[in-house]
Amino acid sequence: MASTAASIFNLKDTSLLHTQGFIDGQWVDAKEGAKISVTNPATTEEIGQVPEMGIAETKEAIEAASKAFKTWSKTTAKHRHDILMKFFALMKEHEDDLARIITLENGKPLADAKGENTYSASYLEWFAEEAVRTYGEVIPSAMSNLRNIVVKQPIGVVSILTPWNFPSAMITRKLGAALAAGCTAVIKPPAETPFSCLALVELANRAGIPPGVINVVTTNANIQEVGKELCVNPLVKKVSFTGSTGVAKLLYGYASSTLKKVSIEAGGNAPFIVFDDADIDAAVEGAIACKFRGSGQTCVCANRIYVQSSVYAEFASRLAERVAAFKVGDGLDSETTHGPLIHERAIAKVEHHVEDAISRGAQIIHGGKRLSRTGSFFAPTILSDVPADAVINFEETFGPVAALTKFETEEEVLKLANDTPFGLAGYFFSRDVGRVWRVAEALEVGMVGTNTGLLSQAVIPFGGIKESGLGREGSKYGVEDYMNIKFIAFGGL
Ligand code: SIN
């Protein structure tokens, strides 16, 4: 562990900070010794380095996972339950340190980082409980001398590729399901936030996960070839990815070479609709939670906010009052309510969306520009009268910009809301029970929030339709994505 990194992280349990990859139960450097510099987005300062690994290390990690699968897949579900519950308990025990790591590498405020740790740990608890319920079936036979049995078996080695916006929860959402099912894993954490992943592996080891069951390959410059290897290697049987739709399409193409099972949670462009019969206070609170969670950097954040004309002015002014009270700053500062964006590329995209909307006639109600301080900070922004042809209506912003558009009728807003290739989440506020059913059914998304701006929990089937993804994570469906269904005909009775 580099001593500078140790002093920056200042953890109670210093052994949670690892600066090496993890293959076959060993902490390892890159064969060629290259390093990735990891920075704090709130200060732009380097907080540590991890190895720049490549194809050779990736192949070793896959081989280790394949070897470990032979024994891990044969353990009892109760054994895997017990280990996952220990892992869960360790995450709770070390929540202060784990939250600090998240804040330092991702930028989100400490309170949000603690919230992420709770959310992240809940996937381990949930999948521990699911491990012992991966039931098979007996199907009534069409032949008198035959009995039909269905069993579920772990799929094999899983490649897990995760984003930086939830450095911990996006790993446990996949890893918890994989381990519960009896699969082994190679994780490629994001180059921006590798330390949360490495700390989780430390805790997994303490919980009793055997060598080779979890492996971690850190990479940045070599991401193209490492990503490809994780998808084409014949020893890998499933790929689970959360990230942009562009990268998802590339990985899906690679994985098709060996017809691997694929789970994808990709970009969203969530509509958030406020009808004139809504509780406006609740709608404003919902919009704050939904739009500005993680400073707008979640796949389920509202991207397009449609407000019915008779309540538009009231909603806009109340939203502006709430946003004006935000304290934007370093996540380690206890006053901070909203942290930085992850890097300069994120700022550039947000700037482009705001400038484009303004050039087409939108007005700024609040914010509108980057903050003149060190770090990648953009002012929480509200845009009014955003026209239908603005780029922000077609692309995910992944930043703190609330783009408001007025509408007149339910029919009109449903057309606008569904006019996108994406279909992850959608939200609306209404107190008319008939409308609640109609709109919930009509929105072309995988997840709907009615009268709420937050829906994420381990117990729900998280995922999208259209170009937002394949498969579901969390819930009783999540573990099934890591299992094969096998039919066994019992003859000769
Ligand atoms: C994501 O942004 O991909 C996940 C968000 C969540 O789990 O709530």
Side-chain angles (χ1 to χ4, degrees), residues 119 165-166 170 173 242 265 293 298-300 456 462:
Y119 178 42
N165 62 342
F166 288 88
M170 294 305 100
R173 180 144 92 189
T242 295
E265 196 245 292
R293 177 174 173 227
T298 88
C299 295
V300 287
S456 305
F462 195 104

Side-chain angles (χ1 to χ4, degrees), residues 35-320:
K35 298 274 186 195
I36 304 164
S37 169
V38 183
T39 54
N40 176 349
T43 62
T44 68
E45 280 164 11
E46 179 173 285
I47 52 172
Q49 296 185 346
V50 291
E52 175 68 68
M53 293 176 153
I55 292 246
E57 294 89 341
T58 309
K59 284 190 168 152
E60 276 181 15
I62 293 170
E63 277 152 26
S66 180
K67 192 173 68 173
F69 180 71
K70 292 187 176 61
T71 44
W72 180 249
S73 59
K74 300 286 185 301
T75 57
T76 63
K78 173 73 169 82
H79 178 74
R80 298 196 296 276
H81 161 277
D82 292 350
I83 289 190
L84 279 167
M85 286 306 284
K86 263 192 224 159
F87 191 0
F88 163 72
L90 286 165
M91 282 191 74
K92 302 294 277 181
E93 185 185 327
H94 293 282
E95 67 169 356
D96 290 339
D97 280 346
L98 295 173
R100 228 183 125 73
I101 296 173
I102 292 174
T103 295
L104 277 158
E105 60 184 3
N106 164 282
K108 66 180 70 175
L110 261 181
D112 291 357
K114 265 195 195 161
E116 176 175 346
N117 188 63
T118 303
Y119 178 42
S120 179
S122 75
Y123 280 106
L124 297 182
E125 184 185 36
W126 174 261
F127 284 119
E129 290 163 351
E130 284 300 291
V132 290
R133 297 197 173 83
T134 54
Y135 301 131
E137 240 182 324
V138 179
I139 301 176
S141 180
M143 289 175 247
S144 60
N145 61 347
L146 212 62
R147 296 294 176 268
N148 298 324
I149 311 291
V150 174
V151 295
K152 292 182 187 159
Q153 295 183 312
I155 197 161
V157 176
V158 181
S159 292
I160 292 179
L161 299 101
T162 58
W164 46 260
N165 62 342
F166 288 88
S168 174
M170 294 305 100
I171 291 174
T172 54
R173 180 144 92 189
K174 299 171 191 308
L175 183 65
L179 296 177
C183 297
T184 56
V186 178
I187 308 172
K188 203 282 308 155
E192 293 87 349
T193 61
F195 295 114
S196 293
C197 174
L198 299 172
L200 288 178
V201 171
E202 168 67 29
L203 296 181
N205 294 340
R206 291 186 200 175
I209 302 270
V213 171
I214 304 175
N215 304 272
V216 180
V217 175
T218 51
T219 191
N220 188 24
N222 299 328
I223 178 64
Q224 300 273 359
E225 55 253 48
V226 168
K228 185 170 179 187
E229 184 63 26
L230 287 170
C231 294
V232 300
N233 191 305
L235 294 176
V236 172
K237 302 300 177 206
K238 177 186 166 78
V239 178
S240 181
F241 170 74
T242 295
S244 74
T245 296
V247 175
K249 287 181 183 175
L250 195 70
L251 299 180
Y252 194 24
Y254 292 148
S256 70
S257 64
T258 45
L259 289 187
K260 291 189 203 324
K261 199 161 173 172
V262 172
S263 293
I264 290 173
E265 196 245 292
N269 182 7
F272 184 103
I273 306 168
V274 184
F275 287 101
D276 57 7
D277 57 56
D279 174 336
I280 299 299
D281 286 333
V284 168
E285 288 315 308
I288 294 289
C290 182
K291 174 64 250 182
F292 294 101
R293 177 174 173 227
S295 293
Q297 302 173 107
T298 88
C299 295
V300 287
C301 276
N303 211 56
R304 301 166 287 149
I305 303 184
Y306 299 113
V307 188
Q308 205 153 13
S309 58
S310 63
V311 293
Y312 185 87
E314 183 188 359
F315 178 85
S317 82
R318 290 216 218 157
L319 186 68

